[in-house]
Amino acid sequence: MQRNCFSLRPFLRGVGEVGAFCKPVRQFRNSAALEYAAAAAAPKTRPGKVPPKMVKLRKQFQADNDLPIFLKGGGMDNILYRLTWVLCFLGIGGDVWLWLGYIIA
């Protein structure tokens, strides 16, 4: 098993040869393999145009219209938000009803 000691070098300065303690994780024999590894590790971003749908969504969600972010999606977001509140209150009410039924009865 090989160890990666590049992170240990500041701690091992006075110890002597770091190479005797461990070997590098990867050793490339030719420059073509080294260039391939560097290209594979590079981020895969390409400059280009932003899709029109993304521009529309940015404008919609970054608009300054005093709405919270979870309601900026439109009417369906509003319905889901209100339905969530109703279901939460029904659940809390049912829980209170259940506990009061055990306490009183």
Side-chain angles (χ1 to χ4, degrees), residues 75-99:
M76 193 63 182
D77 281 350
N78 199 354
I79 291 170
L80 288 173
Y81 174 71
R82 293 178 190 277
L83 179 66
T84 302
W85 273 107
V86 168
L87 290 175
C88 285
F89 282 123
L90 285 175
I92 291 170
D95 195 31
V96 168
W97 180 267
L98 178 72
W99 282 103

Side-chain angles (χ1 to χ4, degrees), residues 9-97:
R9 283 191 181 181
F11 302 113
L12 298 174
R13 285 187 185 162
V15 175
E17 179 92 21
V18 176
F21 180 67
C22 63
K23 297 177 184 176
V25 175
R26 287 186 179 169
Q27 294 178 349
F28 296 107
R29 296 182 184 198
N30 57 16
S31 61
L34 185 61
E35 290 174 11
Y36 176 76
K44 304 214 183 317
T45 58
R46 286 186 279 152
K49 292 182 72 176
V50 179
K53 183 177 181 180
M54 184 62 70
V55 173
K56 179 184 163 231
L57 287 173
R58 275 190 198 163
K59 286 181 184 176
Q60 178 182 356
F61 282 96
Q62 292 178 353
D64 189 18
N65 53 7
D66 295 332
L67 284 176
I69 190 70
F70 50 85
L71 293 179
K72 286 189 177 186
M76 193 63 182
D77 281 350
N78 199 354
I79 291 170
L80 288 173
Y81 174 71
R82 293 178 190 277
L83 179 66
T84 302
W85 273 107
V86 168
L87 290 175
C88 285
F89 282 123
L90 285 175
I92 291 170
D95 195 31
V96 168
W97 180 267

